[in-house]
């Protein structure tokens, strides 16, 4: 039986760089000289597997010596944001995603480790829409050592979910971390809703796909990354039922983002080219990381320009 990779998040120590476990050996990330200048807050949007591109944005900040003062995230943005706020670097996150999702045998080994009740509760009726218990999945896929609460993170984190019966976005910034992430990422077509803080939660992308409004005013510069994308393909190709469902939700989310941008645009708003991948293409993590790699330099250029504008103003 394949031994699952155990990646530990470093203990909360302000003076030490992030570390990660590659197989059994601890490898320390190189220390980058902190960059002086304007402060930065980051908003990571939802988009399923397309959100793997967020890792390049975080790596760009690491290489520039910029440590954000706050992070907000929706869906996959909440998950990646939690890892980053816990002390993982962009390089740590890339390595962890490659090890856990870039190997089908590793994925199956982790699924088998799910609690029997949760596993069979997810799959006993087949892989049907809305039947998968996302909290149980996160139990075996989140990095080992991820803090149990928001308060134990190294950076302030805000995650967005949709309050199903409240008919509005709801923000988590304190208390239990895992159910907040699960609620933020509970795509209705795939995952069972999450009960948290007395509310039924579903995917945050329904109400706030790129939550840059949550970090406005917390830093000199707001960096927002939109990975929602949209339907892609030949104009005469009839989409499948599931592609139609996801594509329609992407169009809805883009309409929400467009209205938000009319009201107020963040200092930096970037959209990596991610339309080639479907929402659930997580097993293509290596391909996504490789083909979206140029996005890291795009982020660096945009941040440098924003710093220049801010310093001159």
């Amino acid at each position: 039986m394949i031994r699952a990779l155990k990646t530990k998040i470093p203990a909360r120590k302000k003076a030490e760089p992030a570390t990660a476990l590659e197989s059994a050996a601890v490898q320390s990330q190189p220390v980058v000289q902190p960059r002086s200048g304007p402060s930065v807050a980051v908003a990571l949007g939802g988009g399923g597997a397309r959100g793997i591109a967020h890792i390049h944005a975080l790596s760009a900040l690491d290489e520039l010596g910029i440590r954000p003062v706050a992070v907000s995230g929706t869906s996959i943005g909440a998950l990646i944001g939690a890892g980053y706020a816990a002390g993982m670097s962009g390089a740590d996150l890339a390595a962890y995603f490659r090890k856990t999702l870039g190997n089908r045998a590793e994925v199956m080994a982790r699924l088998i480790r799910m609690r029997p009740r949760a596993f069979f509760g997810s799959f006993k009726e087949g892989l049907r829409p809305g039947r998968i218990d996302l909290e149980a999945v996160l139990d075996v896929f989140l990095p080992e050592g991820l803090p149990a609460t928001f308060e134990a993170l190294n950076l302030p984190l805000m995650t967005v979910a949709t309050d199903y019966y409240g008919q509005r976005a709801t923000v988590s910034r304190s208390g239990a971390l895992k159910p907040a992430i699960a609620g933020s990422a509970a795509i209705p077509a795939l995952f069972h809703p999450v009960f948290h803080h007395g509310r039924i939660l579903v995917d945050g992308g329904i109400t706030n796909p790129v939550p840059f409004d949550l970090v406005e005013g917390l830093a000199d510069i707001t960096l927002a990354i939109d990975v929602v994308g949209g339907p892609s393909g030949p104009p005469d190709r009839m989409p499948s039922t599931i592609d139609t469902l996801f594509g329609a939700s992407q169009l809805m989310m883009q309409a929400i983002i467009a209205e938000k941008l009319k009201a107020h645009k963040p200092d930096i708003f970037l959209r990596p080219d991610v339309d080639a991948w479907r929402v659930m293409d997580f097993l293509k993590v290596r391909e996504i990381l490789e083909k979206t790699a140029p996005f890291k330099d795009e982020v660096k250029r945009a941040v440098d320009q924003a710093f220049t504008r801010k310093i001159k103003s």
Side-chain angles (χ1 to χ4, degrees):
M1 182 175 179
I2 295 176
R3 182 170 64 89
L5 173 75
K6 292 185 178 292
T7 298
K8 293 185 178 179
I9 292 175
R12 189 180 185 186
K13 295 181 180 179
K14 293 183 179 179
E16 294 183 2
T19 61
L21 277 180
E22 291 287 343
S23 299
V26 177
Q27 298 183 352
S28 298
Q29 295 299 318
V31 177
V32 178
Q33 183 66 33
R35 179 170 177 169
S36 61
S39 58
V40 177
V42 179
L44 305 176
R50 293 170 169 179
I52 292 170
H54 283 318
I55 293 172
H56 293 305
L58 299 177
S59 293
L61 295 179
D62 291 340
E63 292 176 14
L64 289 172
I66 297 170
R67 187 64 170 165
V69 298
V71 180
S72 64
T74 293
S75 199
I76 184 67
L79 192 156
I80 290 177
Y84 195 68
M88 298 179 79
S89 67
D92 291 335
L93 287 163
Y96 189 76
F97 269 70
R98 287 191 187 98
K99 289 287 188 181
T100 55
L101 297 175
N103 184 316
R104 290 177 184 269
E106 175 69 22
V107 170
M108 288 308 302
R110 286 174 179 265
L111 289 175
I112 291 170
R113 285 167 48 200
M114 289 171 64
R115 299 187 305 272
R117 181 178 179 183
F119 184 86
F120 291 112
S122 298
F123 299 102
K124 66 182 179 182
E125 297 180 57
L127 193 59
R128 296 175 57 188
R131 296 291 185 182
I132 303 175
D133 182 348
L134 184 54
E135 287 190 86
V137 174
L138 291 180
D139 278 339
V140 295
F141 279 95
L142 285 178
E144 183 180 306
L146 188 75
T149 66
F150 283 82
E151 290 83 357
L153 296 170
N154 292 343
L155 295 175
L157 173 70
M158 290 158 280
T159 64
V160 180
T162 298
D163 181 345
Y164 183 75
Y165 290 114
Q167 303 176 30
R168 61 181 178 84
T170 182
V171 180
S172 293
R173 51 171 59 88
S174 63
L177 183 60
K178 186 182 68 178
I181 296 172
S184 182
I187 300 172
L190 291 173
F191 302 113
H192 195 276
V194 174
F195 184 74
H196 184 50
H197 286 324
R199 300 184 178 92
I200 300 296
L201 304 182
V202 294
D203 185 37
I206 296 170
T207 48
N208 196 347
V210 187
F212 55 82
D213 51 302
L214 299 184
V215 292
E216 287 289 345
L218 299 182
D220 300 313
I221 294 172
T222 299
L223 167 62
I225 310 296
D226 173 16
V227 293
V228 169
S232 179
D236 59 346
R237 188 187 73 187
M238 189 64 67
S240 66
T241 300
I242 192 68
D243 282 343
T244 301
L245 182 62
F246 284 140
S249 69
Q250 288 158 4
L251 296 174
M252 175 195 70
M253 287 188 278
Q254 288 296 0
I256 293 172
I257 294 168
E259 289 302 311
K260 286 184 63 179
L261 291 174
K262 287 179 184 178
H264 181 71
K265 189 172 183 179
D267 301 283
I268 306 171
F269 185 83
L270 299 175
R271 283 177 167 144
D273 185 5
V274 292
D275 285 353
W277 298 283
R278 290 183 170 90
V279 171
M280 296 305 293
D281 274 346
F282 287 100
L283 294 180
K284 296 183 179 180
V285 57
R286 295 178 185 275
E287 175 186 316
I288 296 171
L289 283 171
E290 178 183 354
K291 293 189 176 180
T292 60
F295 182 55
K296 180 166 68 173
D297 287 333
E298 181 182 348
V299 173
K300 288 182 177 180
R301 289 192 297 270
V303 170
D304 278 335
Q305 291 167 5
F307 266 54
T308 300
R309 290 194 301 269
K310 187 64 66 172
I311 291 171
K312 288 182 177 180
S313 64

